[in-house]
Amino acid sequence: MPKKSAAISRKKFLSDQRTALLELKNKLLAEIDAEIKAEREANKDEGMDTYDLASEERDREINVILSDRDRSKGQQIDDALARMADGSYGVCDSCGLEIAEERLRAMPFTRLCRDCQQDQEREAKSQRRFDDGRTYRKLGSTDADEESP
Ligand SMILES: [Zn+2]
């Protein structure tokens, strides 16, 4: 394969990913919108007319309604779009290698390649094991040196 066509397919891939990210974002915003509408309905009885909210107020409202999970997902999507804009999209945060395109297709806003993700999960697991072990040892000891609340 000549270099030129690889560059073109990469460009096509990135534009597909951008579309996927924007779709995800739209979907998230639509879900949030639906929640806000439901909230408005619920507030109607209290005589609140929130229909012509200024955008600043609306943003505040969104922040109140948004769960942490939604917020962090929206953040991840925005981050991915920003990385796309500065050209660092698709590069693993941890090892700096390119993330496989099929992985990016499945998870358009991932920041880690599969290996680093697995390493991180393994690390999290062994960290938990380490904590468990320490708790276990503590149970049998009379050491007054307390670390946990
Ligand atoms: Zn990596």
Side-chain angles (χ1 to χ4, degrees):
M1 274 276 190
K3 246 186 174 169
K4 203 175 169 190
S5 87
I8 287 170
S9 79
R10 181 69 181 172
K11 210 172 166 184
K12 167 90 168 70
F13 170 73
L14 285 176
S15 110
D16 284 353
Q17 290 302 102
R18 198 179 136 79
T19 306
L21 282 165
L22 291 174
E23 264 169 24
L24 279 173
K25 193 173 173 177
N26 281 339
K27 211 175 132 196
L28 187 66
L29 290 178
E31 278 168 22
I32 292 162
D33 234 36
E35 279 181 59
I36 290 172
K37 280 201 184 100
E39 191 82 357
R40 272 180 197 151
E41 289 300 312
N43 285 337
K44 249 184 188 159
D45 293 342
E46 297 162 34
M48 279 177 67
D49 183 16
T50 50
Y51 219 78
D52 297 312
L53 276 178
S55 70
E56 192 189 330
E57 205 167 336
R58 192 182 136 89
D59 283 350
R60 200 161 48 212
E61 195 184 10
I62 287 174
N63 276 326
V64 171
I65 292 170
L66 232 61
S67 70
D68 285 344
R69 194 204 48 180
D70 287 344
R71 213 179 339 225
S72 79
K73 192 174 173 191
Q75 190 64 50
Q76 281 179 308
I77 294 171
D78 282 344
D79 277 357
L81 287 167
R83 290 200 300 278
M84 214 169 255
D86 71 19
S88 64
Y89 178 79
V91 176
C92 175
D93 248 16
S94 180
C95 67
L97 294 175
E98 273 190 15
I99 302 169
E101 291 191 356
E102 59 184 62
R103 177 171 165 81
L104 285 169
R105 273 188 225 276
M107 280 180 287
F109 46 78
T110 188
R111 306 185 64 123
L112 293 171
C113 71
R114 201 191 53 196
D115 286 351
C116 290
Q117 175 92 45
Q118 278 174 354
D119 279 356
Q120 223 169 58
E121 278 164 14
R122 243 197 312 269
E123 225 166 81
K125 252 181 220 155
S126 70
Q127 183 63 38
R128 264 200 299 279
R129 263 200 303 275
F130 175 72
D131 286 348
D132 285 352
R134 198 166 54 180
T135 308
Y136 184 73
R137 276 198 304 277
K138 217 175 227 172
L139 284 174
S141 87
T142 50
D143 201 338
D145 188 8
E146 289 288 350
E147 274 178 51
S148 49

